[in-house]
Amino acid sequence: MERFTILQKDTYVDSLASLFTMSVLMDCEGVENAYAGMATPSSKQMMEELGLADDAVRGAGENDFVIAVRASGREAFEAAMAKTKKEEPDIAVQKPAFSTVEEAVRANPRANICSIAVPGEYACEVTKQALNQGLHCIVFSSNVPLEQEREMKELAREKGLLCMGPDCGVANINGAAFVLSSINNRGPFGICGASGCGIQHVAAFLHEAGSGVSQTIGTGGNDLKEQVGGISMLMGIDALENDPDTEYIVLISRKPADSVLQALTARIRECKKPVVACFMGADRAAVEASGALWAGDLDGCAQQALSLIGKQIDFDSDEALTAMARSAIEGMSAQQKYVRGIYCGGTYCDEVMQTMQRTIGGVYSNCPLSPELQLADSRASVKNTVVDSGEEEFTRGRPHPTLEPSMRLPLIAKEGEDPETAVILLDFILTPPEHIDPAGVTLPVLTSAMEAARARGGRLAVVCSVLGTDADLQNVSLQRQKLLDAGVYVCRSNRQAGQLAAKIIQLKKERDEA
């Protein structure tokens, strides 16, 4: 393998565009590894760790853009670079139109929102510049210290502006889908959440039921922590209460810090519009005492929201899931005992582990529900295991699997080779900038794993859910059908996928012990 570097001096390319470039490069034949990004100290350290750094990288300044590639030869490298220009022409390296936020505002005086995707170490300063220019902010940047997040949000509150993020990948404002948001119908529901896939989940069910969203406001995953104080969610409730297009408010997050939950329930109590609250793991009595409709999980949240307009979701019955599980275990060998999940969505990862542990006990993970279930090695499964492949140990120097589905294929292949694997459990999350066919990218490794299990005298069950809408470029119905045609069990929701996977393991154990 040879190392190649392209250095663009004094050229800024944002984080989202850099991720797209990396996605294209990593998918090219002959490319072993690649990195694209601004030459910040943390990025240069990452390139050193990935074996991609050379003297050009080491000498690059923080205002320089770097593409570093390890490939089989110059021909493979040049073909890969040509592919980035052909497939992603809009993110080709260019000098910025404006050098400061102030310049951009002067040239676009009607602008009122700023999408920020700079490296995390610069996010606070750039966000404050945008806020001082009177702009609401959607901050896609991640790895921002909590004290800086608090600083950004206190400034936003002072100026009466929304600061969505850091680490906000989902926002749909007045019908415009930002960053990684699915495309949704307009409707009466305003959603504010600290979980991107949680927002997407509820919005997709609203869309499917013929309703839709007025606004979706992502707060970033850390907003409801003690150090940040829920500033964005509290302001989001204010904004949705004052929004004439919003009739109902839906709030979504993992369990908030105790003091933040108290502040939220106090604000809900004063809200003039009906509120559905899904604070997963929070005390039901405390939530219901605020006057909100309580939801314990994402399916329940969507169901409660739709009940406000006289609609409901037809989930698979327990009997139907049991019948699928009985079908799935036919032909499984005695060695096959465990479920192995490889997930893109962090909230979905949590949800499926909570769902399964009620039936099969504790589930090991790189982000476990309890410390004793922590994996020593995120790439080495133990018994029943679900890993979040979007965590830093998998994405450091690589695109997130939501953007580039091929990133988790080696993990799927490894689990498929394990003779103890009975179920491979997956989530598919559709977004506009994602690969146009994530199911198609994943199916070859899944079918290969199923064939290998048959060759060993067993049968591998693949269970999944697909999150998205028929308005997404990938079309959720087409993606589901492609998986079904290949023999994959496709469930109505992530929770139901977890229920089915757990039933398969439970029934298989009962059969083996009979």
Side-chain angles (χ1 to χ4, degrees):
M1 288 287 171
E2 298 180 50
R3 191 168 49 199
F4 301 90
T5 302
I6 293 177
L7 176 64
Q8 297 284 334
K9 300 289 289 183
D10 297 320
T11 300
Y12 174 72
V13 177
D14 71 33
S15 299
L16 191 57
S18 299
L19 286 171
F20 290 147
T21 300
M22 273 194 284
S23 295
V24 176
L25 289 170
M26 292 292 293
D27 199 35
C28 291
E29 186 175 350
V31 172
E32 181 183 78
N33 211 343
Y35 183 84
M38 301 303 294
T40 64
S42 61
S43 295
K44 289 162 76 171
Q45 179 184 350
M46 190 181 300
M47 284 184 274
E48 288 282 2
E49 294 173 2
L50 294 170
L52 294 171
D54 58 12
D55 289 342
V57 169
R58 297 183 186 104
E62 294 188 26
N63 295 320
D64 301 336
F65 179 67
V66 175
I67 297 175
V69 179
R70 190 163 57 244
S72 57
R74 178 161 292 280
E75 184 176 348
F77 167 68
E78 291 178 350
M81 291 306 302
K83 188 175 180 183
T84 65
K85 293 176 182 177
K86 179 181 178 182
E87 295 195 7
E88 302 287 348
D90 293 337
I91 60 168
V93 176
Q94 300 173 357
K95 289 191 178 298
F98 308 103
S99 58
T100 67
V101 174
E102 186 177 3
E103 285 181 19
V105 171
R106 280 201 302 266
N108 301 275
R110 296 178 61 190
N112 65 356
I113 195 164
C114 182
S115 180
I116 296 168
V118 300
E121 51 261 60
Y122 305 125
C124 182
E125 184 58 36
V126 174
T127 302
K128 288 195 294 183
Q129 289 174 17
L131 292 168
N132 284 323
Q133 290 296 317
L135 300 173
H136 300 285
C137 293
I138 300 171
V139 188
F140 180 65
S141 310
S142 57
N143 300 314
V144 177
L146 292 178
E147 61 271 17
Q148 291 186 9
E149 179 170 345
R150 176 90 188 203
E151 183 182 345
M152 293 156 52
K153 292 185 173 183
E154 285 180 337
L155 178 61
R157 182 169 57 190
E158 175 188 320
K159 294 185 172 296
L161 298 166
L162 284 174
C163 179
M164 293 167 266
D167 202 21
C168 172
V170 171
N172 192 307
I173 308 298
N174 292 333
F178 286 86
V179 199
L180 306 180
S181 283
S182 273
I183 299 168
N184 293 104
N185 290 333
R186 298 299 305 281
F189 293 94
I191 305 176
C192 185
S195 161
C197 67
I199 293 172
Q200 299 277 71
H201 181 101
V202 174
F205 274 112
L206 295 174
H207 178 103
E208 186 178 326
S211 186
V213 298
S214 53
Q215 324 286 343
T216 68
I217 299 170
T219 68
N222 292 324
D223 185 66
L224 275 65
K225 290 184 177 178
E226 187 83 37
Q227 299 95 317
V228 182
I231 293 173
S232 289
M233 184 165 283
L234 289 166
M235 292 186 69
I237 296 171
D238 293 343
L240 294 173
E241 186 177 40
N242 293 320
D243 176 33
D245 292 331
T246 298
E247 297 177 33
Y248 312 100
I249 297 173
V250 179
L251 305 177
I252 301 169
S253 77
R254 303 180 196 182
K255 185 178 184 297
D258 290 343
S259 63
V260 178
L261 181 61
Q262 290 176 10
L264 288 171
T265 52
R267 177 64 185 86
I268 293 168
R269 198 171 289 115
E270 299 173 356
C271 189
K272 298 179 178 65
K273 294 179 179 179
V275 175
V276 176
C278 179
F279 300 138
M280 289 171 277
D283 178 62
R284 177 171 184 168
V287 174
E288 290 185 330
S290 71
L293 289 174
W294 178 86
D297 55 38
L298 297 174
D299 286 358
C301 186
Q303 194 79 278
Q304 287 279 44
L306 285 170
S307 72
L308 293 170
I309 57 172
K311 294 179 179 287
Q312 66 177 17
I313 304 165
D314 294 324
F315 289 110
D316 288 322
S317 66
D318 188 67
E319 292 77 12
L321 291 174
T322 300
M324 282 190 273
R326 291 194 187 283
S327 169
I329 67 173
E330 292 179 7
M332 284 188 178
S333 70
Q335 281 184 288
Q336 293 179 276
K337 303 175 183 178
Y338 303 120
V339 58
R340 302 290 166 73
I342 304 98
Y343 265 65
C344 297
T347 299
Y348 267 8
C349 185
D350 269 13
E351 182 185 48
V352 83
M353 289 190 293
Q354 290 172 6
T355 299
M356 292 197 299
Q357 74 176 2
R358 300 181 191 119
T359 303
I360 61 174
V363 179
Y364 287 86
S365 180
N366 58 335
C367 45
L369 298 177
S370 52
E372 70 274 11
L373 296 169
Q374 178 72 48
L375 290 172
D377 180 350
S378 297
R379 291 173 173 81
S381 295
V382 177
K383 298 182 178 179
N384 294 307
T385 294
V386 177
V387 297
D388 180 357
S389 66
E391 285 291 293
E392 185 178 0
E393 65 264 33
F394 295 113
T395 59
R396 188 169 173 79
R398 295 170 178 266
H400 193 279
T402 304
L403 288 172
E404 181 44 71
S406 67
M407 299 309 298
R408 61 177 177 171
L409 297 187
L411 298 173
I412 296 171
K414 184 177 181 182
E415 298 300 354
E417 292 168 359
D418 187 343
E420 291 192 319
T421 301
V423 181
I424 288 180
L425 179 61
L426 305 170
D427 62 337
F428 290 87
I429 300 174
L430 308 184
T431 70
E434 188 194 23
H435 193 287
I436 195 65
D437 186 14
V441 168
T442 311
L443 275 174
V445 72
L446 291 177
T447 54
S448 177
M450 288 189 280
E451 289 168 3
R454 283 193 291 269
R456 291 193 297 265
R459 180 186 180 187
L460 178 66
V462 179
V463 177
C464 77
S465 64
V466 185
L467 171 60
T469 72
D470 55 11
D472 284 323
L473 300 177
Q474 301 88 351
N475 192 316
V476 67
S477 297
L478 294 178
Q479 290 290 297
R480 286 171 176 160
Q481 192 59 51
K482 185 170 288 192
L483 292 159
L484 285 167
D485 290 344
V488 175
Y489 292 92
V490 181
C491 295
R492 289 279 282 132
S493 70
N494 179 58
R495 176 184 63 87
Q496 291 219 297
Q499 288 176 323
L500 176 56
K503 280 180 179 292
I504 292 171
I505 299 303
Q506 180 188 40
L507 292 178
K508 173 64 166 50
K509 182 179 179 182
E510 290 173 358
R511 189 192 75 181
D512 291 348
E513 293 177 350

